[in-house]
Amino acid sequence: MRKPVVPFPFATGTSNRFGRSSLGGGLAATNSNARVYTQAVPARAVVNAAPGSSTMVNLGLNSERSRGMMIERLRRQGIQDERVLDAMMAVPRHLFVDEGLASRAYEDAALPIGYSQTISQPWVVARMISVICENKAPAKVLEVGAGCGYQAAVLAQFIKEIHAIERIRGLYDMARDNLRALKLSSRVRLSFGDGMEGLPGVAPFDAIIIAAAGIRIPQALLEQLAVGGRLIAPEGTTAQRLILIERTGAANWHRAELESVRFVPLRAGTQS
């Protein structure tokens, strides 16, 4: 399945109860993790929002129905793994984005979460998780690029042990607060660090998901994949594709190219 690259729907900003916001300014693609610099509201802050917030009251009444519509769209787009669909139905995506974007949370679009980062569009999240889980039940998964914590929250619905790394301190704090708000901290072991190095002390992993594109997939992450395990990541610069790697032996990996996508560059080091 190939997803078309189309203009980002919030190129000119968004509106919230405080007026016009620059959140989302710039161009991106709906199947991208293209980044726009700004700040976002963690799930805990949204959970504790004032009762008079019309946006959140509306979502409180309709978010389950909106998620149901999202799930039906994902089915039409080819997502068939019921574990993945059930997990995405269970996680309130609107709690992971700025309040000004919450009403758009269940559209098939990447949305800014601050620090020049985005929460991936639902199709990308579902596709990547479905691929690593196809005909398998991975027990231990590593996510490189935790962002606001949404994908880790989805994984935690049916994966026993999740390890997630985030290199940007502000996003690490946001993901931690979001996961705590949904009582998922015990299911997701979140680390602040360089995702390109992985977590060698915790490896091997049954599956690895990388949420940023490198010119090549780091060898350190390939080495941390268990034999029989799968790794999925975008690869490339301007032209990028999802790459599926399956480790077939101690020194052997099988590679397959999937859809065209657009992600931001995979970077080394950390950002405070």
Side-chain angles (χ1 to χ4, degrees):
M1 180 187 304
R2 187 183 179 94
K3 296 291 291 181
V5 176
V6 300
F8 187 59
F10 306 105
T12 59
T14 62
S15 297
N16 58 32
R17 61 191 172 115
F18 302 108
R20 193 67 177 170
S21 169
S22 61
L23 188 61
L27 294 176
T30 58
N31 65 338
S32 76
N33 267 352
R35 286 12 184 185
V36 184
Y37 182 78
T38 186
Q39 193 74 309
V41 179
R44 182 171 60 182
V46 175
V47 169
N48 294 327
S53 170
S54 60
T55 299
M56 294 314 299
V57 168
N58 183 58
L59 279 168
L61 294 173
N62 299 309
S63 62
E64 186 172 353
R65 183 174 63 183
S66 297
R67 288 202 297 279
M69 294 171 65
M70 176 186 74
I71 298 306
E72 290 308 309
R73 184 180 64 244
L74 290 172
R75 290 185 195 278
R76 293 193 300 271
Q77 292 173 323
I79 305 300
Q80 300 178 348
D81 192 320
E82 293 299 327
R83 296 169 299 175
V84 177
L85 294 171
D86 288 346
M88 294 190 69
M89 182 67 191
V91 177
R93 189 172 186 254
H94 66 274
L95 298 184
F96 290 83
V97 300
D98 181 84
E99 184 177 340
L101 296 174
S103 63
R104 312 298 295 272
Y106 300 104
E107 294 182 0
D108 200 26
L111 301 174
I113 54 173
Y115 305 94
S116 301
Q117 309 292 305
T118 63
I119 181 175
S120 294
Q121 70 181 103
W123 180 84
V124 167
V125 173
R127 174 62 169 155
M128 294 178 82
I129 297 176
S130 293
V131 168
I132 63 165
C133 293
E134 186 175 1
N135 299 319
K136 289 179 179 287
K140 186 163 76 170
V141 175
L142 172 65
E143 180 193 20
V144 175
C148 62
Y150 174 71
Q151 186 164 251
V154 173
L155 287 165
Q157 301 303 308
F158 68 102
I159 304 290
K160 181 178 179 181
E161 184 177 339
I162 311 296
H163 294 264
I165 309 175
E166 177 51 56
R167 64 177 294 273
I168 299 173
R169 171 65 72 174
L171 285 181
Y172 165 82
D173 292 339
M174 185 189 301
R176 180 195 59 204
D177 290 346
N178 287 341
L179 292 168
R180 282 178 179 171
L182 295 178
K183 297 180 171 56
L184 292 173
S185 297
S186 62
R187 301 291 302 277
V188 180
R189 303 176 190 183
L190 188 63
S191 300
F192 173 64
D194 185 348
M196 293 182 69
E197 297 179 358
L199 294 172
V202 184
F205 298 97
D206 300 318
I208 299 175
I209 296 179
I210 304 175
I215 297 175
R216 63 183 61 85
I217 296 168
Q219 186 64 31
L221 295 176
L222 295 176
E223 296 286 351
Q224 291 175 39
L225 193 61
V227 174
R230 291 173 178 162
L231 178 152
I232 190 165
E235 186 181 82
T237 52
T238 41
Q240 300 173 6
R241 298 190 75 85
L242 278 181
I243 304 297
L244 172 63
I245 304 287
E246 185 161 6
R247 189 168 191 175
T248 57
N252 299 98
W253 293 265
H254 178 266
R255 171 190 171 96
E257 293 190 0
L258 306 178
E259 293 84 11
S260 295
V261 289
R262 188 188 300 168
F263 282 72
V264 296
L266 180 65
R267 300 189 185 281
T270 59
Q271 177 181 323
S272 298

